[in-house]
Amino acid sequence: MSDSLAIVNPDSPPKEKLDIDIVSKDQEDLAKRQLTFELFSRFLECTDYDMIEKREIDQMIIVKLLESLDSKDAGEREFTKILLRRIYFKFDPLRPYIRHEINNVFYRFIHETENINGMTELMEFLNEVFRKCNDLPNDEQKNLLIKIIVPLHKAQSLITYFIPMMKCTLLLLHGNSKVMGDYINGLLKIWPMVSSEKEMMFLDEIYKIMEKIGKEEFEQIQLPMFRRIAKCLASPHMSVAERALRMWSHQNIVAHIISNNEVILPVMFPTLYQVSKEHWSDEVRDLVYSITKLFLKMNEKLFNELNKNFKSEREKEKALELEREERWNKVMEMQSNRSQCLSVDIDLNSGLVDHLKELVID
């Protein structure tokens, strides 16, 4: 009786005991889930697997596993990923459904809420799937790249799953190179404008793709890509500028630049000229100067022509700026003269008014 009264007695603080009960209950639930996972794992590893009816593993189990993958516990997510992987590789008929449900998780993350755990584990799972048996149809690969992976770059939590996602991307593009142009154009359209950290990740990914890009795909994206590279090159953030300069460090990329220098050089020249003279980092200026000399060797005639035109345009701009400044000074002078005239008129008028007042008083 006293115990029951103690429970409802407002003077007795039950909070500490309640916290202990909650913790112990959570630990108990976690232990039960771990035991369930372990039994299920042993079931999947059964040596007499051929005797097990395949109907024992159905779509509902996949749904429950994906729900478990949203757990806040990293160990539970890892174990869930292992189970999902074993089911995927043992049950061929379930593979399309597993990919479909994973895509639904991605769509919910993109369009509804970013508060979903397990994105890293899902990317790691797909990475292993694509490495061992990349049997996705081309349409499904394109859909995954363009409608899922590209939008996933916009999330604030991109850094948590970026590396496994980039590995998935490279594996998919390796098997379907025709999508490279659409994929890079997709990244260029959502390029981060305020986050240097995300900008560096984008540049790293594009560099990895460009290492193996073909001639046709390169020509498809060269104009928009090098416009963006030029802006990154002029970035005041030194690491962003250095990552943009890294495009000239790989043999395959340089070969494509040389083959298409007549298109790329006019896009890059104004930025190369300004950065080589105005960037605050000596290291960036030195690297840009080296690239400028490389372009000069590629096409000296075009380089000299662009240099002449650029200097001519700069002189015209300076002349226009000087002309605008002179016009502004004239306007300010006229305004000053007008203000002085108005001041004199006011003084005269005020003197006349005072004189009339004196006459009236007299």
Coordinates of all heavy atoms in Angstrom, one line a residue, residues 142-209:
K142 N 19.7 5.7 -65.8 CA 19.5 7.1 -66.1 C 18.6 7.8 -65.1 O 18.8 8.9 -64.6 CB 19.0 7.3 -67.5 CG 18.9 8.8 -67.9 CD 18.5 8.9 -69.4 CE 18.5 10.4 -69.7 NZ 18.1 10.6 -71.2
N143 N 17.5 7.1 -64.7 CA 16.6 7.7 -63.7 C 17.2 7.8 -62.4 O 17.1 8.9 -61.7 CB 15.4 6.7 -63.6 CG 14.4 7.2 -62.6 OD1 13.6 8.1 -62.9 ND2 14.3 6.6 -61.4
L144 N 18.0 6.9 -62.0 CA 18.7 6.9 -60.7 C 19.7 8.1 -60.7 O 19.8 8.8 -59.7 CB 19.4 5.6 -60.4 CG 20.2 5.5 -59.1 CD1 19.3 5.8 -57.9 CD2 20.9 4.2 -59.0
L145 N 20.4 8.3 -61.8 CA 21.5 9.3 -61.9 C 20.8 10.7 -61.9 O 21.2 11.6 -61.2 CB 22.3 9.1 -63.1 CG 23.4 8.0 -63.0 CD1 23.9 7.6 -64.4 CD2 24.5 8.4 -62.1
I146 N 19.9 10.9 -62.8 CA 19.3 12.2 -63.1 C 18.3 12.7 -62.1 O 18.3 13.8 -61.6 CB 18.8 12.3 -64.5 CG1 19.8 11.9 -65.5 CG2 18.3 13.7 -64.8 CD1 21.1 12.7 -65.5
K147 N 17.4 11.8 -61.7 CA 16.2 12.1 -60.9 C 16.4 11.9 -59.4 O 15.7 12.4 -58.6 CB 15.0 11.4 -61.4 CG 14.5 11.8 -62.8 CD 13.2 11.1 -63.1 CE 12.7 11.6 -64.5 NZ 11.4 10.9 -64.8
I148 N 17.5 11.2 -59.1 CA 17.7 10.9 -57.6 C 19.1 11.4 -57.2 O 19.2 12.3 -56.3 CB 17.6 9.4 -57.4 CG1 16.2 8.9 -57.6 CG2 18.1 9.1 -55.9 CD1 16.0 7.4 -57.4
I149 N 20.2 11.0 -57.8 CA 21.5 11.3 -57.3 C 21.8 12.8 -57.5 O 22.3 13.5 -56.6 CB 22.6 10.5 -58.0 CG1 22.4 9.0 -57.6 CG2 24.0 11.0 -57.7 CD1 23.5 8.1 -58.1
V150 N 21.4 13.4 -58.7 CA 21.6 14.8 -58.9 C 20.9 15.6 -57.8 O 21.5 16.5 -57.1 CB 21.2 15.2 -60.3 CG1 21.2 16.8 -60.4 CG2 22.2 14.7 -61.3
P151 N 19.6 15.4 -57.6 CA 18.9 16.2 -56.5 C 19.4 16.0 -55.1 O 19.4 16.9 -54.3 CB 17.4 15.7 -56.6 CG 17.3 15.2 -58.0 CD 18.6 14.6 -58.4
L152 N 20.0 14.8 -54.9 CA 20.6 14.5 -53.6 C 21.8 15.4 -53.3 O 22.1 15.6 -52.1 CB 21.0 13.0 -53.5 CG 19.9 12.0 -53.2 CD1 20.5 10.6 -53.3 CD2 19.2 12.2 -51.9
H153 N 22.3 16.0 -54.3 CA 23.5 16.9 -54.1 C 23.0 18.2 -53.4 O 23.8 19.0 -52.9 CB 24.1 17.3 -55.4 CG 25.0 16.2 -55.9 ND1 24.5 15.0 -56.5 CD2 26.4 16.1 -56.0 CE1 25.5 14.3 -56.9 NE2 26.7 14.9 -56.6
K154 N 21.7 18.5 -53.4 CA 21.2 19.8 -52.9 C 21.0 19.7 -51.3 O 20.9 20.8 -50.7 CB 19.9 20.2 -53.5 CG 20.0 20.5 -55.0 CD 18.8 21.1 -55.6 CE 17.7 20.1 -55.7 NZ 16.5 20.6 -56.4
A155 N 21.0 18.6 -50.8 CA 20.8 18.4 -49.3 C 21.9 19.0 -48.5 O 23.1 19.0 -48.9 CB 20.6 16.9 -49.0
Q156 N 21.5 19.6 -47.3 CA 22.5 20.2 -46.4 C 23.4 19.1 -45.8 O 24.5 19.4 -45.5 CB 21.7 20.9 -45.3 CG 21.0 22.2 -45.8 CD 20.3 22.9 -44.7 OE1 20.3 22.5 -43.5 NE2 19.8 24.1 -45.0
S157 N 22.9 17.9 -45.7 CA 23.7 16.8 -45.1 C 24.5 16.0 -46.2 O 24.9 14.9 -46.0 CB 22.8 15.8 -44.4 OG 21.8 15.3 -45.3
L158 N 24.8 16.7 -47.3 CA 25.5 16.0 -48.4 C 26.8 15.4 -48.0 O 27.1 14.2 -48.4 CB 25.7 17.0 -49.6 CG 26.6 16.5 -50.7 CD1 25.9 15.4 -51.5 CD2 26.9 17.7 -51.7
I159 N 27.5 16.0 -47.1 CA 28.8 15.6 -46.7 C 28.8 14.2 -46.1 O 29.8 13.4 -46.1 CB 29.5 16.6 -45.8 CG1 31.0 16.2 -45.6 CG2 28.8 16.7 -44.5 CD1 31.8 17.3 -44.9
T160 N 27.7 13.8 -45.4 CA 27.6 12.6 -44.7 C 27.5 11.4 -45.6 O 28.0 10.3 -45.2 CB 26.3 12.6 -43.8 OG1 25.2 12.7 -44.6 CG2 26.4 13.7 -42.8
Y161 N 27.0 11.5 -46.8 CA 26.9 10.4 -47.7 C 27.6 10.6 -49.1 O 27.4 9.9 -50.0 CB 25.4 10.0 -47.9 CG 24.6 11.1 -48.4 CD1 24.5 11.4 -49.8 CD2 23.8 11.9 -47.6 CE1 23.6 12.4 -50.3 CE2 23.0 12.9 -48.0 CZ 22.9 13.2 -49.4 OH 22.1 14.2 -49.8
F162 N 28.3 11.7 -49.2 CA 28.8 12.1 -50.5 C 29.8 11.1 -51.1 O 29.7 10.7 -52.3 CB 29.5 13.5 -50.4 CG 30.3 13.9 -51.7 CD1 29.5 14.3 -52.8 CD2 31.6 13.8 -51.8 CE1 30.2 14.6 -54.0 CE2 32.3 14.1 -53.0 CZ 31.5 14.6 -54.1
I163 N 30.7 10.6 -50.3 CA 31.8 9.7 -50.8 C 31.2 8.4 -51.4 O 31.4 8.0 -52.5 CB 32.8 9.4 -49.8 CG1 33.6 10.7 -49.5 CG2 33.8 8.3 -50.2 CD1 34.7 10.5 -48.4
P164 N 30.3 7.6 -50.6 CA 29.7 6.4 -51.2 C 28.8 6.8 -52.4 O 28.7 6.0 -53.3 CB 28.9 5.8 -50.1 CG 28.7 6.9 -49.1 CD 29.9 7.8 -49.2
M165 N 28.1 7.9 -52.4 CA 27.3 8.3 -53.5 C 28.1 8.6 -54.7 O 27.8 8.2 -55.9 CB 26.5 9.5 -53.2 CG 25.5 9.9 -54.3 SD 24.5 11.4 -53.8 CE 25.7 12.7 -53.9
M166 N 29.3 9.2 -54.6 CA 30.2 9.4 -55.7 C 30.7 8.1 -56.3 O 30.8 8.0 -57.6 CB 31.3 10.3 -55.3 CG 32.2 10.7 -56.5 SD 33.5 11.9 -56.1 CE 34.5 11.0 -54.9
K167 N 31.0 7.2 -55.5 CA 31.4 5.9 -55.9 C 30.3 5.2 -56.8 O 30.6 4.6 -57.8 CB 31.8 5.0 -54.8 CG 33.1 5.4 -54.1 CD 33.4 4.5 -52.9 CE 34.7 5.0 -52.2 NZ 35.0 4.1 -51.0
C168 N 29.0 5.3 -56.3 CA 27.9 4.7 -57.0 C 27.8 5.4 -58.4 O 27.6 4.8 -59.4 CB 26.6 4.9 -56.3 SG 26.4 3.9 -54.8
T169 N 28.0 6.7 -58.4 CA 27.8 7.5 -59.6 C 28.9 7.1 -60.7 O 28.6 6.9 -61.8 CB 28.0 9.0 -59.3 OG1 27.0 9.4 -58.4 CG2 28.0 9.8 -60.6
L170 N 30.1 6.9 -60.2 CA 31.2 6.5 -61.1 C 31.0 5.1 -61.7 O 31.2 4.9 -62.9 CB 32.5 6.6 -60.4 CG 33.0 8.0 -60.0 CD1 34.3 7.9 -59.2 CD2 33.2 8.9 -61.2
L171 N 30.4 4.2 -60.9 CA 30.1 2.9 -61.3 C 29.0 2.9 -62.4 O 29.1 2.2 -63.4 CB 29.7 2.0 -60.2 CG 30.9 1.6 -59.2 CD1 30.3 0.9 -58.0 CD2 31.8 0.6 -59.9
L172 N 28.0 3.7 -62.1 CA 26.9 3.8 -63.1 C 27.3 4.4 -64.4 O 26.9 4.0 -65.5 CB 25.7 4.6 -62.4 CG 24.9 3.9 -61.3 CD1 24.0 4.8 -60.7 CD2 24.2 2.7 -61.9
L173 N 28.1 5.5 -64.3 CA 28.5 6.2 -65.5 C 29.5 5.4 -66.3 O 29.5 5.5 -67.5 CB 29.1 7.5 -65.2 CG 28.2 8.6 -64.6 CD1 29.0 9.9 -64.2 CD2 27.1 9.0 -65.6
H174 N 30.3 4.5 -65.6 CA 31.2 3.7 -66.3 C 30.5 2.7 -67.2 O 30.9 2.3 -68.3 CB 32.1 2.9 -65.3 CG 33.0 2.0 -66.0 ND1 34.1 2.4 -66.7 CD2 33.1 0.6 -66.0 CE1 34.8 1.4 -67.1 NE2 34.2 0.3 -66.8
G175 N 29.3 2.2 -66.8 CA 28.5 1.3 -67.6 C 27.5 2.0 -68.6 O 26.9 1.3 -69.4
N176 N 27.4 3.3 -68.4 CA 26.4 4.0 -69.3 C 26.9 5.4 -69.5 O 26.4 6.4 -69.0 CB 25.0 4.1 -68.6 CG 23.9 4.5 -69.5 OD1 24.2 4.8 -70.7 ND2 22.7 4.7 -69.0
S177 N 28.0 5.5 -70.3 CA 28.7 6.8 -70.5 C 27.9 7.8 -71.3 O 28.2 9.0 -71.2 CB 30.0 6.5 -71.3 OG 29.7 5.9 -72.6
K178 N 26.8 7.4 -72.0 CA 26.0 8.3 -72.7 C 25.2 9.3 -71.8 O 24.8 10.3 -72.2 CB 25.0 7.6 -73.6 CG 25.7 6.8 -74.7 CD 24.7 6.2 -75.6 CE 25.3 5.4 -76.8 NZ 24.4 4.8 -77.7
V179 N 25.2 8.9 -70.5 CA 24.4 9.8 -69.5 C 25.4 10.8 -68.9 O 24.9 11.7 -68.2 CB 23.8 8.9 -68.4 CG1 22.9 9.7 -67.6 CG2 23.0 7.7 -69.1
M180 N 26.7 10.7 -69.2 CA 27.6 11.6 -68.6 C 27.3 13.1 -68.8 O 27.3 13.9 -67.9 CB 29.1 11.4 -69.1 CG 29.8 10.2 -68.4 SD 31.5 10.1 -69.0 CE 32.0 8.6 -68.1
G181 N 27.0 13.4 -70.0 CA 26.7 14.8 -70.4 C 25.5 15.3 -69.6 O 25.5 16.4 -69.0
D182 N 24.4 14.6 -69.6 CA 23.2 15.0 -68.8 C 23.4 15.1 -67.4 O 22.9 16.0 -66.7 CB 22.0 14.0 -69.1 CG 21.6 13.9 -70.5 OD1 21.7 15.0 -71.2 OD2 21.1 12.9 -71.0
Y183 N 24.3 14.2 -66.8 CA 24.6 14.2 -65.4 C 25.4 15.4 -65.0 O 25.0 16.1 -64.1 CB 25.3 12.9 -65.0 CG 25.6 12.8 -63.5 CD1 24.6 12.5 -62.6 CD2 26.9 13.2 -63.1 CE1 24.9 12.4 -61.3 CE2 27.1 13.1 -61.7 CZ 26.2 12.7 -60.8 OH 26.4 12.7 -59.5
I184 N 26.4 15.7 -65.8 CA 27.2 16.9 -65.5 C 26.4 18.2 -65.6 O 26.5 19.1 -64.8 CB 28.5 16.9 -66.3 CG1 29.4 15.8 -66.0 CG2 29.2 18.3 -66.2 CD1 30.7 15.7 -66.8
N185 N 25.6 18.3 -66.7 CA 24.7 19.4 -66.9 C 23.8 19.6 -65.7 O 23.5 20.7 -65.3 CB 24.0 19.3 -68.2 CG 24.8 19.7 -69.4 OD1 25.6 20.6 -69.3 ND2 24.6 19.1 -70.5
G186 N 23.3 18.5 -65.1 CA 22.4 18.5 -64.0 C 23.2 19.1 -62.8 O 22.6 19.9 -62.0
L187 N 24.4 18.7 -62.6 CA 25.2 19.3 -61.5 C 25.5 20.8 -61.7 O 25.4 21.5 -60.7 CB 26.5 18.5 -61.3 CG 26.5 17.1 -60.9 CD1 27.9 16.5 -60.7 CD2 25.8 16.9 -59.5
L188 N 25.7 21.1 -62.9 CA 26.0 22.6 -63.2 C 24.8 23.4 -62.9 O 24.9 24.6 -62.4 CB 26.4 22.7 -64.6 CG 27.8 22.1 -65.0 CD1 28.0 22.2 -66.5 CD2 28.9 22.7 -64.2
K189 N 23.6 22.9 -63.1 CA 22.4 23.7 -62.8 C 22.1 23.9 -61.4 O 21.4 24.9 -61.0 CB 21.2 23.0 -63.5 CG 21.2 23.0 -65.0 CD 20.0 22.3 -65.6 CE 20.0 22.3 -67.1 NZ 18.9 21.5 -67.7
I190 N 22.6 23.0 -60.5 CA 22.3 23.2 -59.1 C 23.6 23.5 -58.3 O 23.8 23.2 -57.1 CB 21.7 21.9 -58.5 CG1 22.7 20.7 -58.7 CG2 20.4 21.6 -59.1 CD1 22.3 19.5 -57.8
W191 N 24.5 24.1 -59.0 CA 25.9 24.4 -58.4 C 25.7 25.3 -57.2 O 25.0 26.3 -57.2 CB 26.7 25.1 -59.4 CG 28.2 25.1 -59.1 CD1 28.9 26.0 -58.3 CD2 29.1 24.1 -59.5 NE1 30.2 25.6 -58.2 CE2 30.4 24.4 -58.9 CE3 29.0 22.9 -60.2 CZ2 31.5 23.7 -59.1 CZ3 30.2 22.2 -60.4 CH2 31.4 22.5 -59.9
P192 N 26.4 24.9 -56.1 CA 26.3 25.7 -54.8 C 26.9 27.1 -55.0 O 28.0 27.2 -55.5 CB 27.0 24.8 -53.8 CG 28.0 24.0 -54.6 CD 27.3 23.7 -55.9
M193 N 26.2 28.1 -54.5 CA 26.6 29.5 -54.6 C 27.2 30.1 -53.4 O 27.9 31.1 -53.4 CB 25.4 30.3 -55.1 CG 24.9 29.9 -56.5 SD 26.2 30.0 -57.8 CE 25.2 29.4 -59.2
V194 N 26.9 29.5 -52.2 CA 27.3 30.1 -50.9 C 28.1 29.2 -50.1 O 28.7 29.6 -49.1 CB 26.1 30.6 -50.1 CG1 25.3 31.7 -50.8 CG2 25.1 29.4 -49.8
S195 N 28.2 27.9 -50.5 CA 29.0 26.9 -49.7 C 30.2 26.5 -50.4 O 30.2 25.7 -51.4 CB 28.1 25.7 -49.4 OG 28.9 24.7 -48.7
S196 N 31.4 27.0 -49.9 CA 32.7 26.6 -50.6 C 32.9 25.1 -50.4 O 33.5 24.4 -51.2 CB 33.8 27.4 -50.0 OG 33.6 28.8 -50.2
E197 N 32.5 24.6 -49.2 CA 32.7 23.1 -48.9 C 32.0 22.3 -50.0 O 32.6 21.3 -50.5 CB 32.2 22.8 -47.5 CG 32.5 21.4 -47.1 CD 32.0 21.1 -45.7 OE1 31.2 21.8 -45.2 OE2 32.6 20.1 -45.1
K198 N 30.7 22.6 -50.2 CA 30.0 21.8 -51.2 C 30.6 22.0 -52.6 O 30.6 21.1 -53.5 CB 28.5 22.2 -51.2 CG 27.8 21.7 -50.0 CD 26.3 22.1 -50.0 CE 25.6 21.2 -51.0 NZ 24.1 21.4 -51.0
E199 N 31.0 23.3 -52.9 CA 31.6 23.6 -54.2 C 32.8 22.7 -54.5 O 33.1 22.2 -55.6 CB 32.0 25.0 -54.3 CG 32.1 25.6 -55.7 CD 32.1 27.1 -55.8 OE1 32.2 27.7 -54.7 OE2 32.1 27.6 -56.9
M200 N 33.6 22.5 -53.4 CA 34.8 21.6 -53.6 C 34.4 20.2 -53.8 O 35.1 19.5 -54.6 CB 35.7 21.7 -52.3 CG 36.4 23.0 -52.2 SD 37.6 23.1 -50.8 CE 36.5 23.3 -49.4
M201 N 33.3 19.7 -53.2 CA 32.9 18.4 -53.4 C 32.4 18.2 -54.9 O 32.7 17.2 -55.5 CB 31.7 18.0 -52.5 CG 32.2 17.8 -51.0 SD 30.9 17.1 -49.9 CE 30.0 18.6 -49.6
F202 N 31.7 19.2 -55.4 CA 31.2 19.2 -56.8 C 32.4 19.1 -57.7 O 32.4 18.3 -58.7 CB 30.4 20.4 -57.1 CG 28.9 20.3 -56.7 CD1 28.5 19.9 -55.5 CD2 28.0 20.6 -57.7 CE1 27.2 19.9 -55.1 CE2 26.6 20.5 -57.4 CZ 26.2 20.1 -56.1
L203 N 33.4 19.9 -57.5 CA 34.6 19.9 -58.3 C 35.4 18.6 -58.3 O 35.9 18.1 -59.3 CB 35.6 21.0 -57.9 CG 35.1 22.5 -58.3 CD1 35.9 23.5 -57.6 CD2 35.2 22.7 -59.8
D204 N 35.4 18.0 -57.1 CA 36.1 16.7 -56.9 C 35.3 15.6 -57.8 O 36.0 14.8 -58.5 CB 36.1 16.2 -55.5 CG 37.1 17.0 -54.7 OD1 38.0 17.6 -55.3 OD2 37.0 17.0 -53.4
E205 N 34.0 15.6 -57.7 CA 33.2 14.6 -58.5 C 33.4 14.8 -60.0 O 33.6 13.9 -60.7 CB 31.8 14.7 -58.1 CG 30.9 13.7 -58.7 CD 29.5 13.7 -58.2 OE1 29.2 14.5 -57.3 OE2 28.7 12.8 -58.6
I206 N 33.3 16.1 -60.4 CA 33.4 16.3 -61.9 C 34.8 15.9 -62.3 O 35.0 15.4 -63.4 CB 33.2 17.8 -62.2 CG1 31.7 18.1 -62.1 CG2 33.7 18.2 -63.5 CD1 31.2 19.5 -62.4
Y207 N 35.8 16.2 -61.5 CA 37.2 15.8 -61.9 C 37.3 14.2 -62.1 O 37.9 13.8 -63.1 CB 38.2 16.2 -60.8 CG 39.6 15.7 -61.0 CD1 40.4 16.4 -62.0 CD2 40.1 14.7 -60.3 CE1 41.7 16.0 -62.2 CE2 41.4 14.2 -60.5 CZ 42.2 14.9 -61.5 OH 43.5 14.4 -61.7
K208 N 36.7 13.5 -61.2 CA 36.7 12.0 -61.3 C 36.0 11.6 -62.5 O 36.4 10.6 -63.2 CB 36.0 11.4 -60.0 CG 36.9 11.5 -58.8 CD 38.1 10.7 -58.9 CE 38.9 10.7 -57.6 NZ 40.2 9.9 -57.7
I209 N 34.9 12.2 -62.9 CA 34.1 11.9 -64.1 C 34.9 12.2 -65.3 O 35.0 11.4 -66.3 CB 32.8 12.6 -64.1 CG1 31.9 12.1 -63.0 CG2 32.0 12.3 -65.4 CD1 30.6 12.9 -62.8

